[in-house]
Amino acid sequence: MNSIKKYLGILWIILALVAGYYLIVSQAIPQFRSGNPEDLVPAIVYTFVLMPIISGGLLIFGWYSLKGEYDSEKM
C-alpha cells in the first residue's frame, strides 16, 4: 500500500504541473491579451491567487507522499 501512495505522489506532482500550465496558458494569457478591462481582473486572479493555491497544494501533497509522510507504519 505504501508503494501505491508513492506512485500516487508522482501523479499528484504531475497533476500540479498540468493544472498550473492550464491556468496560465489556457485561462490567464488569453484574458491578458484580450485588451478588455473586465478581463484583466479574472486574469490576475487566475495568475496570482488560484494558480499558487491549486498547484502549490497538489505539489506539497505529492511531495509529502513521495517522502513517506503518509506511510501506514508511521501511524
Side-chain angles (χ1 to χ4, degrees):
M1 187 69 173
N2 290 334
S3 64
I4 293 173
K5 291 177 186 177
K6 291 190 190 246
Y7 290 125
L8 288 175
I10 295 170
L11 178 71
W12 287 115
I13 291 172
I14 292 170
L15 187 62
L17 297 174
V18 169
Y21 178 80
Y22 174 76
L23 281 173
I24 295 298
V25 173
S26 297
Q27 298 295 319
I29 290 176
Q31 288 186 346
F32 275 126
R33 290 185 181 164
S34 73
N36 295 333
E38 61 269 3
D39 287 342
L40 188 60
V41 173
I44 291 171
V45 169
Y46 289 145
T47 304
F48 298 110
V49 177
L50 291 177
M51 197 270 300
I53 291 172
I54 293 170
S55 295
L58 289 170
L59 189 68
I60 289 171
F61 186 73
W63 178 255
Y64 283 158
S65 181
L66 276 178
K67 296 300 274 184
E69 294 292 324
Y70 303 119
D71 287 350
S72 298
E73 61 265 0
K74 283 191 173 188
M75 294 183 180

